[in-house]
Amino acid sequence: MPIALITGTTSGIGEATAHLLAAQGYNLIINGRRLDKLEVQAAELGDKYGISTHLMHLDVRDADAVNDFFTSLPEAWQNIDVVVNNAGLAAGLDNIENGSIDDWNRMIDTNIKGLLYVTKSAIPLLKQTKGHIINVGSIAGKEVYPNGNVYCGTKHMVDALNKAMRRELAEAGIRVSAVHPGAVETEFSLVRLEGDTVKAASVYEGFENLIAQDIADAIGYIISRPKNVNINELIIMPTAQPAAGVILRNQGL
Ligand code: NDP
Ligand code: 8X3
């Protein structure tokens, strides 16, 4: 059975992708910081799809923990075919003058450095399988919007790293692709707005947002193409979001 490693599977896009790939028969390495969620998820995926799971319970910002995880990975889990670099977050929605330095560091450390740590350790294994890396970027990596500054910057870096990986890894037969979503209703806004459920819900009011399954479907499409086909990137938006930071509310869209 093929093996996929997905970061950030305890919620949202990563969780939906875990279910989609499990349904396609992948054994899964699942990741997040919330151990209780990972354990419940492992049991669910095993019961529902009959697949095996291996827990990657760590914070992707911790370079040593990521390195230790890969160096002690049991042999049965080393033939990784797919890595989905999904773990990430936005923290805060302020202009630079009023922004929080802690928030900036969390975003830069997770979205950029965490993605790099996982990728660096996974590359030797992906070379053996001629595997596939999927980077979850964002429309925020293609455009900027008011008060999105540092989050947009981190996702522009993901866009650049996606291209750099593809240039570097093509010779090894490793495919590299990105998905760049617009507004998807997940825990994303709850995290960004520090647990304010009312404000977070209002982000998705008055239009039909994307759901995590929409992005999982795209990832499933990308990795199921024949080996000679590399989908470089997909930008996927709600119909009511024609550009980053622009949402057409209460128009029946
Ligand atoms: P969620 O908040 O629902 O999920 C984020 C996931 O990432 C969780 O499983 C969380 O797990 C994990 N995670 C966060 N930080 C870390 C960390 N330091 N180490 C390990 N795991 C971590 O958000 P989404 O599903 O929406 O976000 C997934 C990705 O999609 C992100 O990269 C985001 O930027 C991107 N994206 C989201 C969009 C949206 O509108 N929702 C649009 C465009 C892109 P835990 O808390 O257990 O660690
Ligand atoms: C999040 C996309 O448009 O909600 O990465 O900021 S958006």
Side-chain angles (χ1 to χ4, degrees), residues 7-14 31-34 37 58-61 85-90 110-111 136-139 151 155 180-189 191 204:
T7 63
T9 60
T10 55
S11 167
I13 294 169
N31 161 257
R33 293 161 299 175
R34 288 172 285 181
K37 290 218 164 206
L58 55 81
D59 187 325
V60 296
R61 290 173 295 181
N85 281 318
N86 165 74
L89 79 161
T110 310
N111 300 356
V136 180
S138 170
I139 190 60
Y151 177 67
K155 291 298 185 176
H180 296 289
V184 188
E185 188 167 9
T186 61
E187 291 180 9
F188 178 85
S189 291
V191 171
Y204 306 105

Side-chain angles (χ1 to χ4, degrees), residues 32 81 103 119 125 184 217 223 247:
D81 300 282
D103 284 349
T119 305
L125 303 178
V184 188
D217 286 345
I223 65 174
I247 292 184

Side-chain angles (χ1 to χ4, degrees), residues 9-240:
T9 60
T10 55
S11 167
I13 294 169
E15 184 175 16
T17 305
H19 279 267
L20 186 118
L21 297 194
Q24 293 183 355
Y26 280 82
N27 286 330
L28 294 179
I29 301 175
I30 55 176
N31 161 257
R33 293 161 299 175
R34 288 172 285 181
L35 182 59
D36 52 339
K37 290 218 164 206
L38 278 182
E39 286 174 339
V40 169
Q41 184 169 57
E44 258 177 28
L45 291 168
D47 287 348
K48 196 164 173 193
Y49 308 102
I51 63 146
S52 302
T53 49
H54 184 68
L55 268 51
M56 181 181 176
H57 173 230
L58 55 81
D59 187 325
V60 296
R61 290 173 295 181
D62 184 340
D64 290 338
V66 172
N67 183 57
D68 290 350
F69 173 82
F70 278 94
T71 52
S72 59
L73 195 58
E75 211 178 325
W77 285 96
Q78 288 180 10
N79 288 329
I80 297 175
D81 300 282
V82 173
V83 169
V84 183
N85 281 318
N86 165 74
L89 79 161
L93 194 57
D94 265 316
N95 59 23
I96 293 174
E97 184 180 7
N98 296 307
S100 145
I101 292 173
D102 282 349
D103 284 349
W104 298 348
N105 286 333
R106 272 173 69 203
M107 291 188 277
I108 290 166
D109 290 349
T110 310
N111 300 356
I112 302 173
K113 291 161 76 179
L115 178 146
L116 280 169
Y117 301 151
V118 172
T119 305
K120 178 175 170 58
S121 288
I123 284 172
L125 303 178
L126 291 167
K127 280 184 171 169
Q128 301 304 316
T129 57
K130 298 194 188 316
H132 201 152
I133 298 172
I134 314 291
N135 293 305
V136 180
S138 170
I139 190 60
K142 296 291 183 181
E143 305 173 36
V144 293
Y145 52 85
N147 300 330
N149 42 62
V150 174
Y151 177 67
C152 295
T154 65
K155 291 298 185 176
H156 274 69
M157 180 87 173
V158 173
D159 187 32
L161 290 173
N162 182 62
K163 292 175 187 146
M165 286 177 205
R166 191 160 52 245
R167 290 291 290 268
E168 288 181 10
L169 298 172
E171 277 179 7
I174 297 174
R175 291 185 285 171
V176 180
S177 309
V179 288
H180 296 289
V184 188
E185 188 167 9
T186 61
E187 291 180 9
F188 178 85
S189 291
L190 202 59
V191 171
R192 176 174 236 174
L193 302 167
E194 295 173 342
D196 186 327
T197 49
V198 176
K199 263 197 201 164
S202 73
V203 172
Y204 306 105
E205 270 165 17
F207 76 107
E208 196 169 339
N209 51 259
L210 298 174
I211 57 169
Q213 183 69 39
D214 296 321
I215 309 308
D217 286 345
I219 293 171
Y221 172 77
I222 290 171
I223 65 174
S224 60
R225 293 312 86 206
K227 280 280 182 194
N228 65 316
V229 177
N230 190 85
I231 306 289
N232 288 359
E233 59 185 25
L234 290 176
I235 301 176
I236 306 164
M237 304 291 284
T239 305

